[in-house]
Amino acid sequence: MKKYILGIDQGTTSTRAILFSKDKKVILKVQKEVKCFFPKEGYVEQDAIEIYLSVLNVINEIITRTNISIDEIEALGITNQRETTVIWDKTSGMPLYNVIVWQSNESLPYCEKWEKYKDLIHKKTGLILNPYFSASKIAYILDNIKDGHLKANNGELLFGTIDSWLIYKLTNGKVHATDITNASRTMLFNINTLTYDEELLDLFNIPKNILPQVYECNHYFGDAIINGKSIKITGVCGDQQSSLFGQLCFNKGSSKVTYGTGCFMLTNIGDIPIYSKNGLLTTIAWKINDSIKYAFEGSVFMGGAIIQWLRDELKLLNEAKESEDYANCVSDDLGVYIVPAFSGLGAPYWDNDCKGAIFGLTRGTTKAHLIRASLNSIAYQVKDIIDVMEKECRKNIKILKVDGGATNNNYLMKFQSDILNKTIILPECVETTALGAIFIAGLGSGYFKNLEEIKKLEVQDKIFKPTMDETTRNKLINNWNKAIKATRLYK
């Protein structure tokens, strides 16, 4: 058996690579930022070629810095920002439009047009009708490139979420495929029949021939060609499902939250889909060796991205990590509440029209209070989802596993524990999204024998326990609810 597995985590703001060894250790992780463009209000786009090159860059950096041979890598696992949409020319392999990112609202008018079909869409896909998902983005792009629909119907175009785009480019155009978790986020895939739904394709006017072939997560997807040598791609999974797997949430009822650009909470609900009545999504968690698991999901659009906003737009921070020091240098938030609805609000509200707002400003408000309130807003939004998750699952979630870049912020994690009144567990390796892809690729290649072998790898790093008194907690939550209500009224 070869020595290593390589994991690629292509996220919204960066691409990461992790090299994982046979003795179950992270050898090296590297990261490269990826730019987002904002051509109009509510629009979020990227460059597909830049994304692909960022993957090549991090792979080559791993190889150079560790001085390993590609021949020593057993398999490659890919996890990716989901729903984000690329359409490219089948002949040239070049994208025909900017990547439309999952956060983008430019296809909102399409969703408004399909409003009367929202119950049908939810029943078939488990998703809420929203521009967040791929279907409306595909329709928008086909309408905005020359002869888009004609070329699509003639088989001249290909669509993919980021995993499909990377598989296609890494295999030199030989493989046009996706895994079942990413397919379940397109709003074109029926989570009951496990196939693309012909009725939805007709509704959205999207030809089936542009869609990638769907496989289970630990399928052999082909060979990635790196510097003239090949690595087998044996694991693909959407980022949040991959994180759920990487957090070893294999049992029904186990939950995790990932704090990235957005925040995403998933709870394993077993092998039968359950439909939410309170704004949660039902999604495919994974399919491995013909065994399928489903999950409830709640999404916060603006998680760690609010800290980037403080840094890049307001210039209140030089580096994101400074936010913890600023939050701790004041004793409280001085009554300041920030609702970061920059792209509307996700679960459980699904309000596309509201805008961000700040409440409670006084002459004594400092940038430290604004920064602290921004961090608090992440925790409040997560609490909103967890309240609904517990109601839908009819189960109290006592322990929450967390991961993602923002978990490095001890202030945020402690406040999250306090406002939830729950224990939070942070793993030794917070890159659980990439680890999930590594574990799945390892199962696909035979590197790991089964889930039991993977379970033995869990190592906890930090545990946060609540200490806030109930009176204070209830006051903070009530004020947050008032801020949410006021934000949604202003449109």
Side-chain angles (χ1 to χ4, degrees):
M1 185 179 290
K2 298 182 182 181
K3 295 181 180 179
Y4 307 104
I5 294 182
L6 182 61
I8 298 297
D9 177 6
Q10 204 300 298
T12 313
T13 55
S14 70
T15 299
R16 295 179 177 88
I18 290 184
L19 190 67
F20 195 80
S21 72
K22 188 176 180 180
D23 58 358
K24 318 299 189 294
K25 293 181 180 178
V26 174
I27 303 301
L28 181 65
K29 55 183 178 182
V30 300
Q31 178 175 338
K32 181 174 178 57
E33 285 199 11
V34 179
K35 294 178 183 177
C36 288
F37 312 116
F38 310 96
K40 293 182 181 179
E41 182 181 354
Y43 287 30
V44 187
E45 298 179 356
Q46 291 180 312
D47 182 336
I49 296 297
E50 181 189 0
I51 289 173
Y52 168 57
L53 292 177
S54 73
V55 170
L56 294 182
N57 286 339
V58 292
I59 291 175
N60 282 317
E61 185 174 349
I62 285 277
I63 292 168
T64 301
R65 289 176 59 182
T66 58
N67 198 31
I68 67 165
S69 166
I70 291 174
D71 294 331
E72 295 179 273
I73 300 175
E74 167 78 14
L76 172 64
I78 297 173
T79 184
N80 58 284
Q81 52 170 313
R82 306 164 303 167
E83 302 97 18
T84 296
T85 296
V86 189
I87 290 183
W88 64 95
D89 184 274
K90 189 174 182 179
T91 302
S92 69
M94 294 298 291
L96 297 176
Y97 201 85
N98 276 348
V99 173
I100 299 185
V101 177
W102 57 273
Q103 293 171 308
S104 188
N105 273 336
E106 55 207 277
S107 59
L108 179 60
Y110 291 78
C111 293
E112 293 171 344
K113 181 176 65 175
W114 299 326
E115 179 68 22
K116 63 182 178 180
Y117 301 105
K118 65 180 181 180
D119 292 336
L120 173 72
I121 292 167
H122 185 236
K123 181 179 178 181
K124 288 175 177 285
T125 68
L127 306 178
I128 306 296
L129 177 60
N130 193 276
Y132 178 19
F133 306 105
S134 306
S136 62
K137 301 178 190 299
I138 297 170
Y140 178 89
I141 294 175
L142 292 180
D143 280 351
N144 283 276
I145 58 176
K146 185 178 180 181
D147 299 326
H149 289 281
L150 177 63
K151 290 179 179 178
N153 288 320
N154 289 342
E156 299 174 37
L157 306 182
L158 296 176
F159 151 78
T161 42
I162 294 299
D163 60 307
S164 298
W165 167 245
L166 294 179
I167 291 168
Y168 186 85
K169 297 301 286 186
L170 290 170
T171 61
N172 289 337
K174 291 181 179 179
V175 181
H176 183 219
T178 189
D179 88 291
I180 196 167
T181 67
N182 278 293
S184 76
R185 309 296 294 191
T186 60
M187 217 162 69
L188 302 172
F189 193 80
N190 190 313
I191 62 171
N192 300 285
T193 64
L194 306 183
T195 59
Y196 291 119
D197 192 275
E198 296 289 350
E199 187 175 8
L200 294 180
L201 292 173
D202 289 342
L203 172 64
F204 303 138
N205 191 25
I206 295 172
K208 190 174 182 179
N209 62 17
I210 72 170
L211 306 178
Q213 183 68 41
V214 181
Y215 296 103
E216 64 181 6
C217 300
N218 63 332
H219 177 76
Y220 166 51
F221 287 85
D223 290 340
I225 307 302
I226 307 295
N227 301 330
K229 294 187 176 182
S230 63
I231 309 172
K232 291 182 179 180
I233 306 172
T234 58
V236 177
C237 193
D239 54 8
Q240 301 314 315
Q241 291 96 323
S242 185
S243 172
L244 189 70
F245 199 89
Q247 285 277 28
L248 312 181
C249 295
F250 302 149
N251 297 325
K252 185 176 179 179
S254 52
S255 305
K256 72 90 194 180
V257 177
T258 294
Y259 296 80
T261 302
C263 295
F264 302 88
M265 179 176 180
L266 272 73
T267 296
N268 185 329
I269 58 173
D271 55 8
I272 299 174
I274 304 170
Y275 291 87
S276 170
K277 298 179 181 179
N278 295 281
L280 298 178
L281 308 178
T282 304
T283 194
I284 294 174
W286 55 75
K287 185 181 180 186
I288 293 174
N289 298 334
D290 292 324
S291 175
I292 192 165
K293 298 294 180 184
Y294 293 86
F296 271 147
E297 177 176 331
S299 306
V300 171
F301 293 161
M302 288 295 294
I306 191 172
I307 305 304
Q308 293 175 318
W309 173 70
L310 294 175
R311 181 192 68 188
D312 299 338
E313 273 69 50
L314 298 192
K315 310 298 183 185
L316 297 183
L317 298 166
N318 293 315
E319 296 181 88
K321 63 182 181 181
E322 295 174 355
S323 61
E324 181 177 348
D325 292 335
Y326 277 107
N328 283 323
C329 78
V330 289
S331 59
D332 58 34
D333 53 30
L334 206 65
V336 177
Y337 287 80
I338 295 179
V339 181
F342 299 162
S343 300
L345 287 170
Y349 306 104
W350 293 106
D351 189 334
N352 296 311
D353 298 323
C354 62
K355 309 293 184 184
I358 303 176
F359 299 93
L361 295 178
T362 66
R363 183 64 181 83
T365 302
T366 68
K367 77 173 185 177
H369 294 112
L370 290 174
I371 292 167
R372 184 168 173 136
S374 296
L375 289 170
N376 290 354
S377 76
I378 299 172
Y380 287 129
Q381 290 178 94
V382 169
K383 185 188 184 303
D384 289 343
I385 293 174
I386 289 179
D387 287 346
V388 174
M389 196 78 73
E390 290 182 327
K391 181 179 179 180
E392 294 279 10
C393 294
R394 298 179 182 178
K395 183 176 181 180
N396 181 34
I397 299 168
K398 296 180 180 179
I399 294 175
L400 194 65
K401 294 184 175 182
V402 299
D403 57 68
T407 58
N408 291 320
N409 190 306
N410 291 315
Y411 169 81
L412 173 59
M413 291 298 98
K414 182 60 171 67
F415 184 78
Q416 184 73 86
S417 175
D418 281 337
I419 210 68
L420 290 174
N421 197 26
K422 299 183 188 300
T423 297
I424 286 179
I425 295 178
L426 182 67
E428 183 179 53
C429 178
V430 297
E431 301 290 352
T432 55
T433 303
L435 280 182
I438 286 169
F439 293 158
I440 292 169
L443 289 170
S445 69
Y447 193 87
F448 298 118
K449 295 178 181 178
N450 50 44
L451 297 183
E452 294 304 317
E453 184 180 354
I454 294 173
K455 284 181 182 179
K456 296 176 183 178
L457 304 178
E458 184 173 26
V459 180
Q460 297 175 358
D461 180 34
K462 295 178 183 178
I463 297 177
F464 297 88
K465 292 183 178 292
T467 56
M468 183 181 287
D469 65 87
E470 187 174 356
T471 300
T472 301
R473 182 184 305 111
N474 289 337
K475 180 180 178 181
L476 292 173
I477 292 169
N478 287 336
N479 286 339
W480 167 256
N481 290 334
K482 291 176 185 177
I484 284 284
K485 184 176 181 180
T487 299
R488 297 185 70 193
L489 285 172
Y490 180 76
K491 295 178 181 178

